[in-house]
Amino acid sequence: MSLQMVTVSNNIALIQPGFSLMNFDGQVFFFGQKGWPKRSCPTGVFHFDVKHNCLKLKPAVFSKDSCYLPPLRYPAICSFKSGLDSEKYQYIIHGGKTPNNELSDKFYSMSLICRNNKKVTFQCTEKDLVGDVPEARYGHSIDVVYSRGKSMGVLFGGRSYIPFTQRTTEKWNSVADCLPYVFLVDFEFGCTTSYILPELQDGLSFHVSLARNDTVYILGGHSLATNSRPANLYRIKVDLPLGSPAVNCTVLPGGISVSSAILTQTNSDEFVIIGGYQLENQKRMVCNIVSLEDNKIEIHEMETPDWTPDIKHSKIWFGSNMGNGTIFLGIPGDNKQVTSDAFYFYMLKCSEDVVNEDQKILTNSQTSTEDPGDSTPFEDSEEFCFSAEANNFDGDDEFDTYNEEDEEDESVTGYWITCCPTCDVDINTWVPFYSTELNKPAMIYCSHGDGHWVHAQCMDLAEHTLINLSEGSNKYYCNEHVEIARALQTPKRVLPLKRPPMKAHRKKGSGKLLTPAKKSFLRRLFD
């Protein structure tokens, strides 16, 4: 193994715990940025361009027929091929948290349709599901199995918010384990079916999963109900005959106690498990190698990398699988220094061998880390901010047009500010007003002058108006500045320039004009 520190040259603040990476033919793409996508990259998908240990994020664009994809963090994500022998594949994304801490229940598919030296274009499609649709969740896994020439997605685990009927102001943002159901998802027809397997007693979150042919292996995970990380190892086998699918589960020995670990594939039959936690706020420094041969799984400890002192002493770490046996890791920066970065990043190469793209094994471990709100002092992004310029993007711009200065400084955006003279939002008495609010009041950005934040409730905004403003490209002005904005936008009326008429010869004392004949007659008369 080799560990190398990586310098992030731009937009380092976007890389926070909970992001995901997608590998398309050796090119890595970043998904799940901090906050809502801004004007310079409305898709929120970036090319992970690493050269000479320097990382640069280059915005990717979506095709015109693509749907909107929010920046989801802690989602379930996996690669999917229409068949084992197919060369084209896509990524399936389900669930995850939005920047305002909503949970998604939608399925998205991401496929690469165009790539050149300056631009990468994706097509993003939302999948409509029927049947036993999984509830909104995060920290779960989704894998793809192949049986009898057919394919099916397998979804398991995760956490979700407690029902609305059980929420109070103090526990509005509380989460619970999802029921230990196994969902089969038909990506072609959108049919979903849930299965109750007696071997699965807990809805484990932040576990590790990997799939081979018709089998999914579930390792480790964290249970909120028992606040434990049991040494689990489950084998879920799926048979897809012409009739109804058959799903069975077997408990295997040799499991490991770990949550939020990262899985990467080093060759056709071997995988490496890196990172994770073995106890609350205690990292798991041991690495494991997983071997799959003849429908058997074996897990052994392996030699650990030469961890740096910063990695050893940090309380948390997070990362994602870059593919080809490489993992991207992040740890908190040195908070003692004023100019220190929020996080430091490393690339860990577990093998120098390049994984064959045509191999018939798909690695679908969770690429997100454990929810910091449950195990670490670092909480996920909770801002509820609408960007008025999110969709104002010129598809002909170069990658290098992304400007970090376009990002609003969210560190100075206080939720409990006095936004207007009549503001009555108080941290001690505030209760959710909009259905999209969880534990923070909804805010919206006024574009007057240098700009400032106001509470949506104080501005008497209807919920549908608030959502429309978040998805549109029009600027918003608060009640105090809306008249000023209208005056600036409406040019003053300029009256046309009046020109005096040309003077004509007039007879003294007369207001009538003199014709040339009268002028001649008067001249002869007085002469």
Side-chain angles (χ1 to χ4, degrees):
M1 292 186 180
S2 62
L3 182 68
Q4 184 66 45
M5 191 170 187
V6 177
T7 302
V8 182
S9 62
N10 66 328
N11 311 311
I12 188 173
L14 299 181
I15 308 177
Q16 300 278 336
F19 71 91
S20 304
L21 297 179
M22 299 176 289
N23 190 311
F24 284 92
D25 298 328
Q27 285 190 311
V28 182
F29 296 89
F30 169 88
F31 168 70
Q33 69 175 43
K34 180 184 186 301
W36 293 99
K38 304 292 183 176
R39 172 185 60 200
S40 301
C41 182
T43 63
V45 177
F46 296 83
H47 180 209
F48 230 50
D49 188 15
V50 182
K51 296 180 180 178
H52 307 294
N53 297 322
C54 181
L55 170 63
K56 187 173 184 179
L57 275 68
K58 298 181 177 181
V61 300
F62 280 4
S63 61
K64 294 182 179 180
D65 58 346
S66 295
C67 67
Y68 175 72
L69 177 68
L72 301 169
R73 300 163 74 187
Y74 309 103
I77 183 171
C78 70
S79 59
F80 167 65
K81 295 182 179 181
S82 57
L84 282 175
D85 298 329
S86 176
E87 296 182 357
K88 295 183 179 180
Y89 63 97
Q90 55 189 318
Y91 274 85
I92 302 297
I93 303 170
H94 174 262
K97 285 186 176 183
T98 64
N100 60 345
N101 267 355
E102 283 184 308
L103 297 186
S104 172
D105 61 351
K106 299 181 182 297
F107 273 84
Y108 299 94
S109 66
M110 287 273 292
S111 57
L112 191 151
I113 60 175
C114 181
R115 174 173 53 193
N116 54 39
N117 294 332
K118 295 183 179 181
K119 284 185 180 179
V120 178
T121 303
F122 287 98
Q123 183 184 49
C124 180
T125 306
E126 182 179 340
K127 297 285 187 179
D128 295 326
L129 301 181
V130 295
D132 303 329
V133 180
E135 64 178 321
R137 62 187 68 198
Y138 71 101
H140 54 303
S141 66
I142 185 170
D143 301 87
V144 181
V145 293
Y146 298 90
S147 172
R148 303 175 186 261
K150 295 186 290 185
S151 61
M152 194 76 70
V154 180
L155 186 147
F156 174 72
R159 294 174 184 167
S160 62
Y161 289 120
I162 60 177
F164 282 96
T165 56
Q166 302 178 17
R167 291 190 181 186
T168 62
T169 302
E170 293 78 13
K171 297 183 178 180
W172 191 261
N173 206 23
S174 298
V175 295
D177 292 321
C178 295
L179 295 176
Y181 294 160
V182 174
F183 293 88
L184 293 189
V185 184
D186 189 328
F187 297 132
E188 182 178 0
F189 299 102
C191 301
T192 58
T193 308
S194 62
Y195 294 83
I196 301 176
L197 305 178
E199 294 81 4
L200 298 173
Q201 297 296 323
D202 297 317
L204 299 168
S205 304
F206 300 101
H207 53 269
V208 174
S209 67
L210 61 96
R212 178 175 183 174
N213 296 331
D214 60 353
T215 305
V216 176
Y217 296 93
I218 305 294
L219 297 88
H222 180 260
S223 172
L224 276 179
T226 60
N227 191 24
S228 62
R229 293 166 176 82
N232 294 322
L233 177 55
Y234 300 104
R235 181 178 63 198
I236 301 174
K237 192 176 182 64
V238 180
D239 187 19
L240 301 176
L242 293 178
S244 300
V247 182
N248 63 77
C249 179
T250 305
V251 180
L252 301 178
I256 57 177
S257 176
V258 64
S259 63
S260 301
I262 307 169
L263 184 74
T264 187
Q265 187 169 3
T266 54
N267 61 49
S268 59
D269 297 318
E270 288 186 352
F271 308 83
V272 174
I273 299 176
I274 300 291
Y277 300 90
Q278 59 186 17
L279 294 173
E280 187 173 354
N281 285 336
Q282 182 176 349
K283 304 194 308 295
R284 187 177 187 271
M285 308 298 294
V286 177
C287 301
N288 296 92
I289 185 168
V290 182
S291 300
L292 293 177
E293 292 182 2
D294 300 328
N295 294 325
K296 294 182 180 180
I297 181 171
E298 295 183 358
I299 305 174
H300 304 285
E301 291 189 8
M302 61 180 299
E303 183 180 356
T304 60
D306 187 12
W307 302 120
T308 64
D310 291 336
I311 294 179
K312 290 180 180 179
H313 297 119
S314 65
K315 291 184 178 181
I316 72 169
W317 55 357
F318 60 96
S320 184
N321 177 28
M322 299 179 66
N324 296 341
T326 304
I327 288 176
F328 187 77
L329 289 173
I331 62 171
D334 188 0
N335 295 328
K336 297 180 181 179
Q337 300 180 11
V338 179
T339 59
S340 174
D341 292 330
F343 298 101
Y344 298 148
F345 298 101
Y346 296 83
M347 283 181 57
L348 176 62
K349 295 184 178 180
C350 301
S351 175
E352 299 298 332
D353 297 332
V354 177
V355 179
N356 187 356
E357 293 293 337
D358 296 331
Q359 63 196 20
K360 298 182 179 181
I361 302 176
L362 300 180
T363 308
N364 301 318
S365 65
Q366 291 171 278
T367 57
S368 58
T369 65
E370 187 159 359
D371 186 6
D374 297 318
S375 63
T376 72
F378 289 85
E379 178 55 66
D380 191 13
S381 174
E382 293 180 347
E383 56 265 38
F384 188 79
C385 306
F386 289 98
S387 172
E389 299 173 332
N391 295 322
N392 185 13
F393 180 72
D394 186 359
D396 295 329
D397 291 344
E398 301 288 341
F399 275 144
D400 294 337
T401 58
Y402 193 91
N403 183 6
E404 192 169 4
E405 295 180 356
D406 290 337
E407 305 292 341
E408 304 295 344
D409 184 6
E410 296 170 346
S411 63
V412 298
T413 305
Y415 290 97
W416 312 110
I417 61 173
T418 301
C419 68
C420 64
T422 59
C423 176
D424 59 354
V425 175
D426 184 83
I427 188 174
N428 299 314
T429 60
W430 176 84
V431 295
F433 180 78
Y434 300 98
S435 64
T436 52
E437 291 177 323
L438 294 172
N439 63 343
K440 302 291 183 182
M443 301 185 73
I444 193 163
Y445 192 74
C446 175
S447 300
H448 175 70
D450 294 333
H452 64 97
W453 292 96
V454 292
H455 297 119
Q457 186 174 351
C458 294
M459 298 298 108
D460 294 327
L461 289 180
E463 184 165 341
H464 66 87
T465 304
L466 186 64
I467 296 175
N468 289 337
L469 288 172
S470 70
E471 298 175 348
S473 59
N474 297 323
K475 292 185 177 181
Y476 172 78
Y477 294 91
C478 68
N479 298 340
E480 184 179 357
H481 296 128
V482 63
E483 295 298 333
I484 301 176
R486 288 173 181 172
L488 293 176
Q489 293 175 348
T490 305
K492 295 182 179 180
R493 183 179 180 183
V494 180
L495 297 176
L497 182 62
K498 293 184 178 180
R499 295 183 179 181
M502 296 181 64
K503 294 183 179 180
H505 295 284
R506 298 175 184 270
K507 180 181 179 181
K508 292 182 180 181
S510 174
K512 297 182 180 180
L513 296 176
L514 298 179
T515 63
K518 290 183 178 181
K519 289 180 183 179
S520 177
F521 172 78
L522 291 174
R523 190 177 298 112
R524 291 195 303 270
L525 179 64
F526 288 105
D527 289 345

